[in-house]
């Protein structure tokens, strides 16, 4: 799904994995809206409206090979939008014909509008992705990239475009303040230019801003292409980048018979390999720290995804592990961490548009509970938020043209099963208590009435 190598950062703390038995539960999934292409982030606005990022399906414009698609070409078009569902159930698309890139002709693996969040004053902030070498975005970034060298492996697999083949998508790989009434965009941060000039992880030069969280006066962005988490002042005055370290696994963890392309992975002594993190979800915890979940890159091993905690020292430490293909996470008002898994099985094991995902809750005391198990309706799920009344909303079927939907998780009756876990990390979370004011802040504290459950194609 997303592939990117970067310099290895050593971890000084490694916590044990939590392996849980799925609890007894009776959740049902209620469709709110469907017909969305490559559905991504979901969030609530200050008036209670639900917003769904629709990256789109690209188009017939210029193409580039992308590490996000194992170097299959992704091509540019104007097919993205932002889907809005009002509290009365009315649906509409905003920011129509937004820049988009995706595989052709399938339209899978789209990048474009990735997420929208709101600050405490109701101002809206828009994140756009990219999924590739940022120098190919437009002539300005191509010229900027020509002033620095690229790793040999990158030059061989996804090199810079020629001037006539750039994607001409200058709106991608940026953070904006957006006026949803007029559609006007005010750029706050350009991830493409930052990756070219600073390359925070010191690996190959790739960017794909994937997830946005707004808390206080700052935006927190997780870049799945750059393997980096960002803290950015909303006025654009300051930014800090935190590289997320590689994951070390045993060769025995790989699928039997898998042929590894030469030079793609970093082989280590003792029968181990280092794989890229590919962070995809971020949330502010009750302790004020940033928590980052990872998808993991090629060859996408099962049970190897981690969640990092990044405190005031800006050093990522493993908080929990033992997950598979995390695409998003958030905290509910009780202090429980909700972890969304795109799939419980390796991406290599099936159709990427229809992989069996799940939703897992981790309580402050370390109890892990499976709220929606694999095979119970979550397929290639890609975004999560919690409404003011505690209901969980998920973007489901997040890959493919017109396949995406938002579902509400209803009727949860779960049996908690205490399990061994990452003791230091769990104590850090439990110590702040469950009554702290926090959240991913994908929503305002006070929202409008409950959304109507009837699904409608927009």
């Amino acid at each position: 799904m997303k592939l990117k190598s970067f310099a290895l950062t050593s971890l000084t703390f490694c916590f044990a994995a939590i392996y849980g038995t799925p609890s007894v539960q009776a959740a049902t999934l209620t469709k709110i809206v469907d017909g969305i292409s490559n559905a991504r982030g979901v969030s609530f606005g200050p008036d209670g409206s639900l917003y769904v990022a629709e990256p789109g399906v690209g188009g017939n414009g210029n193409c580039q090979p992308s590490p996000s698609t194992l170097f299959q070409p992704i091509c540019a078009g104007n097919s993205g939008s932002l889907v809005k569902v009002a509290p009365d159930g009315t649906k509409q698309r905003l920011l129509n014909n937004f820049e988009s890139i995706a595989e052709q002709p399938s339209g899978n693996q789209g990048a474009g509008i990735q997420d929208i969040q709101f600050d405490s004053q109701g101002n809206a902030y828009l994140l756009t992705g990219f999924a590739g070498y940022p120098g190919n975005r437009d002539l300005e970034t191509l010229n900027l990239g020509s002033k620095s060298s690229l790793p040999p492996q990158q030059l061989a697999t996804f090199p810079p475009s020629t001037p006539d083949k750039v994607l001409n998508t200058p709106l991608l790989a940026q953070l904006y303040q957006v006026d949803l009434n007029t559609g006007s965009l005010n750029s706050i941060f350009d991830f493409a230019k930052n990756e070219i000039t600073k390359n925070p992880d010191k690996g190959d030069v790739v960017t794909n801003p994937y997830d946005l969280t707004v808390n206080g006066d700052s935006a927190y962005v997780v870049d799945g292409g750059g393997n980096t988490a960002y803290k950015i002042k909303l006025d654009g005055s300051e930014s800090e980048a935190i590289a997320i370290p590689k994951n070390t696994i045993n060769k025995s963890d790989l699928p039997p018979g898998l042929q590894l392309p030469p030079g793609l992975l970093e082989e280590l002594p003792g029968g181990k390999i280092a794989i890229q993190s590919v962070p995809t979800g971020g949330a502010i915890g009750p302790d004020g720290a940033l928590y980052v979940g990872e998808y993991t890159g090629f060859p996408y091993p099962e049970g190897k995804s981690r969640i990092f905690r990044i405190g005031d020292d800006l050093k990522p430490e493993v908080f929990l592990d033992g997950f598979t293909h995390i695409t998003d996470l958030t905290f509910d008002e009780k202090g429980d961490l909700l972890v969304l898994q795109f799939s419980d099985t390796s991406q290599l094991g099936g159709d990427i548009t229809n992989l069996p995902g799940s939703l897992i809750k981790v309580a402050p005391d370390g109890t892990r509970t499976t709220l929606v198990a694999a095979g119970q309706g979550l397929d290639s799920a890609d975004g999560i938020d919690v409404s003011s009344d505690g209901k969980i909303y998920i973007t489901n079927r997040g890959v493919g043209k017109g396949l995406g939907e938002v579902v509400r998780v209803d009727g949860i009756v779960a049996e908690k099963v205490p399990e061994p876990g990452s003791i230091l990390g769990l104590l850090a979370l439990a110590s702040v208590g469950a009554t702290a004011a926090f959240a991913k802040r994908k929503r305002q504290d006070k929202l409008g009435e409950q959304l109507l459950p009837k699904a409608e194609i927009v």
Side-chain angles (χ1 to χ4, degrees):
M1 186 175 180
K2 305 135 190 110
L3 176 66
K4 166 79 165 66
S5 61
F6 70 111
L8 178 64
T9 301
S10 62
L11 288 174
T12 55
F13 296 94
C14 288
F15 304 135
I18 293 178
Y19 292 100
T21 302
S23 60
V24 178
Q25 56 82 46
T28 59
L29 304 179
T30 303
K31 285 186 184 180
I32 301 302
V33 62
D34 56 12
I36 302 169
S37 294
N38 292 307
R40 248 300 299 141
V42 58
S43 58
F44 285 94
D47 66 345
S49 293
L50 182 75
Y51 292 87
V52 192
E54 183 174 44
V57 294
N60 59 3
N62 286 341
C63 306
Q64 67 168 352
S66 172
S68 296
T69 58
L70 291 179
F71 312 114
Q72 295 301 306
I74 54 176
C75 304
N78 295 91
S79 54
S81 73
L82 182 67
V83 177
K84 176 182 178 181
V85 185
D88 65 1
T90 303
K91 286 86 172 175
Q92 67 179 124
R93 276 189 168 89
L94 309 176
L95 306 176
N96 280 303
N97 304 315
F98 203 90
E99 292 175 1
S100 169
I101 51 177
E103 290 180 315
Q104 301 302 320
S106 69
N108 291 346
Q109 305 269 51
I113 294 178
Q114 302 292 98
D115 207 349
I116 186 169
Q117 304 298 334
F118 298 83
D119 65 17
S120 60
Q121 304 301 311
N123 298 309
Y125 299 88
L126 190 77
L127 181 69
T128 60
F130 184 69
Y133 169 58
N136 293 342
R137 188 184 69 179
D138 52 53
L139 288 174
E140 183 181 7
T141 56
L142 185 68
N143 180 62
L144 186 64
S146 68
K147 301 175 183 178
S148 58
S149 60
L150 294 175
Q153 178 67 20
Q154 180 171 353
L155 288 171
T157 52
F158 55 111
S161 299
T162 56
D164 61 323
K165 296 296 184 181
V166 295
L167 298 180
N168 296 313
T169 53
L171 298 182
L172 298 187
Q174 298 211 49
L175 174 65
Y176 299 98
Q177 184 173 352
V178 57
D179 187 325
L180 295 179
N181 293 318
T182 66
S184 65
L185 300 171
N186 176 35
S187 179
I188 297 172
F189 192 84
D190 190 321
F191 297 93
K193 293 180 180 179
N194 191 78
E195 178 71 14
I196 291 170
T197 58
K198 297 182 180 179
N199 190 13
D201 66 358
K202 305 307 177 187
D204 51 348
V205 182
V206 176
T207 188
N208 189 18
Y210 200 76
D211 186 81
L212 171 64
T213 299
V214 173
N215 190 56
D217 64 354
S218 297
Y220 298 82
V221 174
V222 175
D223 186 337
N227 292 300
T228 302
Y230 286 89
K231 180 180 180 181
I232 304 166
K233 290 289 188 182
L234 292 175
D235 62 5
S237 61
E238 298 177 21
S239 65
E240 297 171 293
I242 307 105
I244 307 299
K246 279 184 178 178
N247 200 345
T248 301
I249 65 172
N250 296 316
K251 281 189 176 180
S252 59
D253 294 323
L254 302 180
L258 177 66
Q259 298 297 316
L260 298 178
L264 187 60
L265 298 176
E266 180 183 353
E267 297 203 28
L268 305 174
K272 297 182 181 297
I273 58 174
I275 63 174
Q276 68 279 8
S277 171
V278 190
T280 46
I284 300 298
D287 56 353
L290 175 65
Y291 291 78
V292 175
E294 67 182 1
Y295 189 92
T296 68
F298 182 85
Y300 316 115
E302 296 176 12
K304 300 300 179 181
S305 294
R306 304 165 295 178
I307 297 174
F308 291 86
R309 180 185 182 275
I310 302 175
D312 292 339
D313 61 0
L314 302 183
K315 294 180 179 179
E317 296 180 349
V318 175
F319 174 68
L320 295 172
D321 56 12
F323 296 93
T324 300
H325 293 351
I326 298 171
T327 41
D328 208 354
L329 46 81
T330 191
F331 289 86
D332 65 19
E333 298 297 341
K334 296 180 181 179
D336 298 324
L337 175 61
L338 302 176
V339 183
L340 183 64
Q341 295 192 152
F342 182 85
S343 174
D344 280 31
T345 59
S346 173
Q347 174 184 319
L348 295 179
D351 176 7
I352 195 173
T353 68
N354 193 32
L355 296 175
S358 63
L359 176 64
I360 299 168
K361 179 177 70 174
V362 182
D365 66 359
T367 301
R368 178 178 290 194
T369 305
T370 300
L371 300 181
V372 183
Q376 296 184 333
L378 290 181
D379 304 306
S380 304
D382 216 355
I384 188 170
D385 195 15
V386 181
S387 65
S388 60
D389 62 356
K391 291 289 187 180
I392 301 168
Y393 291 78
I394 292 172
T395 48
N396 199 29
R397 308 205 66 184
V399 177
K401 183 177 181 179
L403 299 179
E405 61 188 15
V406 174
V407 296
R408 189 178 63 231
V409 183
D410 293 325
I412 296 175
V413 180
E415 175 186 335
K416 294 183 177 180
V417 182
E419 298 156 6
S422 304
I423 301 301
L424 295 179
L426 292 170
L427 287 175
L429 180 57
S431 66
V432 300
T435 59
F438 70 93
K440 186 166 186 177
R441 293 311 174 213
K442 283 190 166 185
R443 63 190 188 281
Q444 301 303 304
D445 290 332
K446 301 298 181 181
L447 300 178
E449 61 185 281
Q450 182 64 45
L451 291 165
L452 298 180
K454 181 180 179 183
E456 179 176 329
I457 296 176
V458 296

